[in-house]
Amino acid sequence: MARKTANDDPLAPVTLAVGQEDLLLDRAVQEVVAAARAADADTDVRDLTSDQLQPGTLAELTSPSLFAERKVVVVRNAQDLSADTVKDVKAYLGAPAEEITLVLLHAGGAKGKGVLDAGRKAGAREVACPKMTKPADRLAFVRAEFRTAGRSATPEACQALVDAIGSDLRELASAVSQLTADIEGTIDEAVVGQYYTGRAEASSFTVADRAVEGRAAEALEALRWSLATGVAPVLITSALAQGVRAIGKLSSARGGRPADLARELGMPPWKIDRVRQQMRGWTPDGVSVALRAVADADAGVKGAGDDPEYALEKAVVTVARAARSRGRA
């Protein structure tokens, strides 16, 4: 859960999103963009990395428009801005332009602290997006996700979900979304157990499991069943990404007992055992190919493509083939 300052207007001239939790940083950006587009549907959004914001670029982006359009300028990794660009940012903070919202994403810490200090001195709205390293924080996050969705989940269900998924907030958020989409009424521990310890029906995680195991035909069958029963495509790409990343993490980790690896990789011990079985046919090149395919599919289901179902099928087949890359070497 991102924490905000007293100035909680997402259309404040400047927002500082501070921390290293990618999901919370992205949500901070999305909140500002949504508010801006609610005020003006034609809002122009410019999303830049620190190396794209060269000296003079900010002045160009924030110069008055002939049509007086609303604009959101997002700068990621602001701690990495060059010294000359930092001067531009500080100058802008002293006199921000009307109808423009500047969002600075900063990792926090000592590096590039001058940008943070200047923003705070100028009265910028601040959203804290810290890494959630403690299990209690992740548990609180899951509870908040259910509340935001307007749904009720038992304490035991929330704990079971954290135990099953691990430390990745995107995966936890995706799991909450899947459960709230599929299940009516209160979500309890039994429901979580059905989904994450061998659910019989196809789900996004069933699709991912069959794909990373190289079982293309079964993965496609599960995919088509999931889509037919209303599972959101974005949940399927999220599950595919989770499955491939887990294989990449474990294949690059040092050997050891499941409990030790679980602590190192942020996975529950039972998941270490399962991923070990799934990763037998994988190579590092196969992981790279699969991750690119999943990223392409994710873009496709979010509007970059014309046929989300085709994008998913292509990704599933590519992941299943990558799972057998060692045997083809």
Side-chain angles (χ1 to χ4, degrees), residues 10-326:
L11 293 182
V14 180
T15 288
L16 297 173
V18 185
Q20 299 180 36
E21 188 57 69
D22 290 340
L23 175 65
L24 301 183
L25 291 167
D26 284 346
R27 286 184 173 181
V29 172
Q30 292 163 9
E31 182 184 24
V32 172
V33 171
R37 286 183 170 157
D40 180 353
D42 295 325
T43 294
D44 181 21
V45 178
R46 303 296 180 91
D47 196 325
L48 309 173
T49 58
S50 57
D51 60 329
Q52 291 175 313
L53 195 69
Q54 298 296 316
T57 304
L58 184 60
E60 179 182 343
L61 291 174
T62 58
S63 60
S65 168
L66 178 64
F67 302 102
E69 64 182 357
R70 181 177 290 277
K71 185 179 293 185
V72 175
V73 178
V74 180
V75 180
R76 298 182 183 271
N77 299 315
Q79 71 278 359
D80 296 328
L81 291 171
S82 68
D84 288 339
T85 304
V86 168
K87 292 179 182 178
D88 288 352
V89 172
K90 289 181 176 180
Y92 177 81
L93 292 173
E98 294 184 6
E99 300 299 311
I100 292 178
T101 300
L102 176 64
V103 185
L104 298 172
L105 277 58
H106 193 291
K111 186 178 182 181
K113 190 171 182 294
V115 174
L116 282 182
D117 292 340
R120 289 163 175 162
K121 184 176 180 180
R125 169 179 179 259
E126 185 167 346
V127 181
C129 307
K131 274 286 185 186
M132 294 190 181
T133 57
K134 298 179 180 179
D137 292 337
R138 294 192 288 274
L139 182 60
F141 171 81
V142 168
R143 289 172 175 165
E145 289 291 290
F146 279 117
R147 285 197 300 270
T148 299
R151 298 296 301 279
S152 175
T154 66
E156 294 80 10
C158 294
Q159 184 63 62
L161 198 58
V162 172
D163 292 343
I165 301 298
S167 60
D168 191 311
L169 288 200
R170 289 189 189 278
E171 293 167 6
L172 285 169
S174 176
V176 170
S177 296
Q178 181 171 15
L179 289 168
T180 55
D182 289 2
I183 303 299
E184 296 182 359
T186 299
I187 295 165
D188 58 20
E189 186 177 11
V191 169
V192 174
Q194 289 173 356
Y195 269 65
Y196 298 100
T197 57
R199 180 184 178 208
E201 303 85 42
S203 70
S204 58
F205 288 94
T206 304
V207 177
D209 283 343
R210 299 297 86 78
V212 300
E213 290 162 3
R215 297 154 66 178
E218 294 177 42
L220 288 171
E221 181 181 359
L223 170 64
R224 289 161 188 156
W225 195 96
S226 294
L227 293 174
T229 55
V231 176
V234 68
L235 298 181
I236 298 173
T237 57
S238 176
L240 284 168
Q242 176 185 336
V244 177
R245 284 200 301 267
I247 287 169
K249 287 180 181 178
L250 190 55
S251 62
S252 62
R254 299 184 301 275
R257 296 177 304 168
D260 295 332
L261 287 170
R263 286 192 293 271
E264 179 183 345
L265 302 178
M267 299 181 191
W270 65 262
K271 189 171 183 179
I272 297 292
D273 291 332
R274 188 176 73 182
V275 175
R276 273 179 168 164
Q277 295 175 352
Q278 293 174 332
M279 64 184 280
R280 288 172 182 164
W282 286 86
T283 65
D285 286 344
V287 172
S288 297
V289 168
L291 286 175
R292 286 195 296 271
V294 174
D296 289 344
D298 189 56
V301 303
K302 291 178 179 176
D306 297 327
D307 189 341
E309 184 171 341
Y310 172 74
L312 285 168
E313 288 183 356
K314 183 178 178 181
V316 164
V317 171
T318 302
V319 170
R321 287 176 178 169
R324 298 184 178 275
S325 55
R326 189 181 302 278

